[in-house]
Amino acid sequence: MPDFVRLERPIVQAPMAGGTSTPALAAAVSDAGGAGFLAAGYKTAAAMREEIAATRRLTSRPFGMNLFMPSSDDIDPGAVDAYRQRLEPEAERLGVGLGVPSKRDDDYDAKVVALLADPVAYASFTFGCPTPDVIRAFQDRGMTVIVTVTSADEARAASAADALCVQGSEAGAHRGSFANTLDDLLGVRELLRLVRAAVPLPLIAAGGLATSEDVAEVLSLGAIAAQVGTGFLRCPESGAGEVHKAALTDPRFTSTAMTRAFSGRPARGLVNRFLAEHSEFAPAAYPDVHYLTSPLRKAAAAQGDPDTVNLWAGEGFRQATDAPAAEIVAALTP
């Protein structure tokens, strides 16, 4: 069985790409008895290796690395161009140019090679499932392989993994779905039931889990651990920007919604002006839309503008505190 069943505390820190999941955060969660995670998304293989080394300097406890599967989206260039034209006024207002689509594989092959050469305890995958040979190679190197799923069908397709992260619709940031779709948005409790009936693998529950009562409930439903992301956003070890952290307590932001407006894939964030105005026009085109909006998001963050930046958050965002990560792990433990 995976090491997850032997965690001192049944808390997995969600791998949050874009700089939020720092070595300090992963190390603090692991030292507190949970499972800390780094996020390789949007980084080069070299940058991933540096973060692994930095985390090892901070902790001797097991931690994990999350990889994005390469995008297989069937991109409509005309739809992307139309969205570009729609966003031109946003770029002009912020004084930047829009981004240009680039590589679509997120340096995946190089990251696989790097992790096989220098394995960590846990390797998780988002946006799809690695091939059986990659899963076996990771397992042969002693890594516990976890695949994020959002349906029973995805769970069956990932049955060669050691464990599954069952991500409900309440979860913040990107859906880990194999497909770029907004269909079948099931809550984590119902999804746990369906996945448990589909595959005999250990399950990690994710989706709006913000209190020890939430964690106790998903454990009673058969999960071996709860994955929490939003709950760590405001802690001092988090790499989330100050605009993002402040928005989580700002009374102007009262709800979350799923959107493709920032990246071209469904992701849950606080409802701000950009999300409200552009969501219905954003094409299903990842990572092209991510590249397109990247300069906007960076400029908005630098200018202290919470209405133009992606404010990823799960439905339990109001429970997030600025306590140290170790205290959050303890508070979440039933």
Side-chain angles (χ1 to χ4, degrees), residues 47-118:
M48 181 192 76
R49 290 194 298 269
E50 290 174 4
E51 288 208 342
I52 290 172
T55 307
R56 286 183 175 139
R57 290 193 291 270
L58 296 172
T59 184
S60 60
R61 301 294 293 269
F63 62 90
M65 178 63 74
N66 175 261
L67 274 64
F68 286 171
M69 294 299 297
S71 174
S72 59
D73 292 355
D74 186 12
I75 305 299
D76 179 352
V80 174
D81 186 61
Y83 195 53
R84 170 184 290 277
Q85 293 178 45
R86 178 178 177 81
L87 297 184
E88 286 289 357
E90 299 276 8
E92 184 176 352
R93 178 178 59 82
L94 291 167
V96 297
L98 291 166
V100 178
S102 185
K103 292 177 62 177
R104 305 183 68 230
D105 65 354
D106 201 47
D107 210 16
Y108 174 79
D109 289 340
K111 290 171 184 174
V112 168
V113 170
L115 280 177
L116 289 174
D118 187 16

Side-chain angles (χ1 to χ4, degrees), residues 11 18 20 26 44 124 131 139 148 151 162 171 203 216 256 269 284 329:
I11 306 299
T20 300
T44 64
S124 69
T131 59
Q139 292 168 333
T148 305
S151 71
D162 296 303
L203 306 180
T256 66
V329 171

Side-chain angles (χ1 to χ4, degrees), residues 195-321:
V195 173
R196 279 191 67 200
V199 294
L201 292 176
L203 306 180
I204 302 157
L209 307 177
T211 66
S212 60
E213 290 78 14
D214 292 336
V215 175
E217 183 179 6
V218 294
L219 295 180
S220 73
L221 294 173
I224 60 168
Q227 179 169 286
V228 177
T230 306
F232 289 107
L233 283 176
R234 295 182 59 217
C235 74
E237 297 92 344
S238 163
E242 291 307 312
V243 170
H244 195 172
K245 290 184 176 183
L248 294 168
T249 62
D250 190 328
R252 290 182 297 159
F253 302 113
T254 60
S255 62
T256 66
M258 298 294 293
T259 183
R260 287 194 180 98
F262 296 102
S263 73
R265 284 192 74 97
R268 183 174 295 280
L270 298 179
V271 178
N272 60 5
R273 180 193 60 80
F274 192 97
L275 184 152
E277 292 183 2
H278 300 300
S279 288
E280 66 177 294
F281 302 98
Y286 177 87
D288 298 54
V289 172
H290 162 76
Y291 287 122
L292 190 67
T293 67
S294 179
L296 300 179
R297 292 179 278 121
K298 290 176 181 177
Q303 296 174 28
D305 173 11
D307 276 305
T308 316
V309 71
N310 52 306
L311 301 170
W312 300 146
E315 290 185 357
F317 69 95
R318 285 293 190 225
Q319 300 292 331
T321 74

